[in-house]
């Protein structure tokens, strides 16, 4: 059966979610956003200094000019989107935005290149990391303690962009308390927002996964279910 692109309902839901997340300052406090910005800006400055100084860090980490440049670009993308996604972005979206920023005449960059660059950023100890989700990765660009429970919930939310307590309990066979603890942590870290007006049960949306909804094929039934 032929599957068409994402429906108008899903796109409307995505836009509503992004606007809601950006406008409501309840999830990510302004001082936390300012702290994230400062951390990433400081790291970017240090990375640029390493690029000119080379020496010890270059030898220890095996970072050449290409990865210095790529590391700075990754940080710039993460900085630009932190207000929307709280510091999580899919590897696919990061790749698209890095390519767009480099221009068509720049040296090509693969997702493997991004993975290598992120691993080098992680080695410098500034909160960067990767979370396996749906055969790819979510890239974490800010310090946030995420354990295996958080990772599993992110993986569960990958297909729809959100998850509910009931879905977690049914899929993972968890108690309500465990599910609530994980979701509360994601809210606190600014990695999720809570939609209490959803029909039925409250939905926990993951902004980092919004872009995936518009690029994936979904059935008309799935699209209709996402109409606000």
């Amino acid at each position: 059966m032929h599957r068409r692109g994402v429906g108008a309902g899903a796109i409307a839901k995505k836009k509503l979610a992004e606007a809601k997340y950006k406008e409501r300052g309840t999830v990510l406090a302004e001082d936390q956003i300012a702290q994230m910005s400062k951390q990433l800006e400081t790291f970017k400055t240090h990375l640029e200094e390493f690029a000119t100084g080379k020496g010890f860090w270059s030898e220890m980490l095996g970072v050449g000019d290409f990865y210095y440049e790529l590391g700075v670009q990754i940080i710039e993308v993460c900085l630009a989107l932190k207000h929307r996604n709280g510091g999580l972005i899919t590897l696919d979206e990061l790749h698209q935005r890095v390519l767009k920023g480099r221009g068509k005449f720049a040296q090509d960059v693969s997702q493997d290149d991004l993975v290598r660059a992120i691993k080098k950023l992680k080695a410098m100890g500034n909160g960067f990391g990767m979370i396996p989700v749906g055969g790819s990765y979510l890239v974490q660009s800010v310090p946030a303690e995420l354990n295996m429970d958080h990772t599993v919930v992110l993986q569960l939310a990958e297909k729809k962009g959100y998850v509910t307590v009931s879905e977690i309990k049914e899929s993972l066979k968890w108690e309500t308390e465990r599910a609530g603890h994980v979701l509360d942590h994601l809210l606190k870290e600014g990695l999720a927002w809570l939609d209490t007006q959803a029909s039925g049960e409250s939905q926990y949306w993951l902004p980092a996964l919004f872009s995936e909804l518009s690029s994936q094929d979904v059935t008309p039934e799935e699209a209709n279910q996402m109409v606000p």
Side-chain angles (χ1 to χ4, degrees):
M1 180 179 176
H2 179 69
R3 303 184 71 184
R4 70 180 187 183
V6 69
I11 294 174
K13 183 71 173 180
K14 172 180 176 288
K15 289 182 178 178
L16 175 66
E18 289 180 347
K20 211 169 187 179
Y21 187 78
K22 185 175 180 180
E23 292 170 5
R24 288 163 62 187
T26 56
V27 176
L28 199 59
E30 290 184 6
D31 59 342
Q32 188 177 356
I33 293 177
Q35 184 179 7
M36 288 163 55
S37 298
K38 184 176 180 181
Q39 288 172 335
L40 287 175
E41 287 286 9
T42 300
F43 185 37
K44 179 184 173 184
T45 300
H46 289 168
L47 196 60
E48 289 170 339
E49 289 174 355
F50 292 153
T52 56
K54 304 289 177 55
F56 174 78
W57 282 100
S58 180
E59 293 176 11
M60 287 295 291
L61 298 172
V63 186
D65 289 339
F66 176 73
Y67 287 109
Y68 278 125
E69 177 190 353
L70 194 52
V72 170
Q73 287 184 302
I74 290 171
I75 293 171
E76 288 175 342
V77 170
C78 292
L79 267 173
L81 297 177
K82 72 187 182 306
H83 70 276
R84 175 171 70 83
N85 58 31
L88 278 182
I89 184 173
T90 62
L91 183 62
D92 287 342
E93 182 178 4
L94 179 61
H95 187 216
Q96 292 169 9
R97 290 181 180 273
V98 166
L99 288 177
K100 185 177 180 180
R102 289 174 70 84
K104 58 184 178 181
F105 297 110
Q107 183 178 352
D108 193 26
V109 173
S110 67
Q111 290 198 2
D112 285 341
D113 291 327
L114 289 181
V115 169
R116 292 190 188 98
I118 293 165
K119 286 181 178 178
K120 295 178 189 302
L121 293 175
K122 182 179 180 180
M124 294 181 185
N126 283 270
F128 275 85
M130 291 181 294
I131 302 169
V133 172
S136 185
Y137 293 98
L138 278 175
V139 177
Q140 179 182 343
S141 62
V142 294
E145 294 186 14
L146 300 179
N147 59 30
M148 187 56 67
D149 277 5
H150 303 118
T151 298
V152 172
V153 170
L154 289 172
Q155 292 171 340
L156 188 61
E158 184 230 349
K159 289 185 178 180
K160 296 188 295 183
Y162 71 88
V163 69
T164 66
V165 172
S166 295
E167 288 171 347
I168 294 174
K169 290 171 63 178
E170 181 180 349
S171 298
L172 304 178
K173 310 303 179 187
W174 288 2
E175 296 295 329
T176 302
E177 183 178 350
R178 184 178 180 183
H181 180 73
V182 170
L183 292 170
D184 286 345
H185 183 77
L186 293 176
L187 289 174
K188 179 183 175 183
E189 293 292 344
L191 303 179
W193 65 262
L194 178 60
D195 183 2
T196 57
Q197 298 180 347
S199 58
E201 187 178 359
S202 295
Q203 299 172 347
Y204 292 79
W205 283 81
L206 284 301
L209 301 172
F210 290 162
S211 62
E212 296 301 291
L213 294 176
S214 60
S215 60
Q216 290 179 350
D217 284 342
V218 298
T219 65
E221 291 77 17
E222 290 170 334
N224 289 335
Q225 288 174 2
M226 299 181 68
V227 177

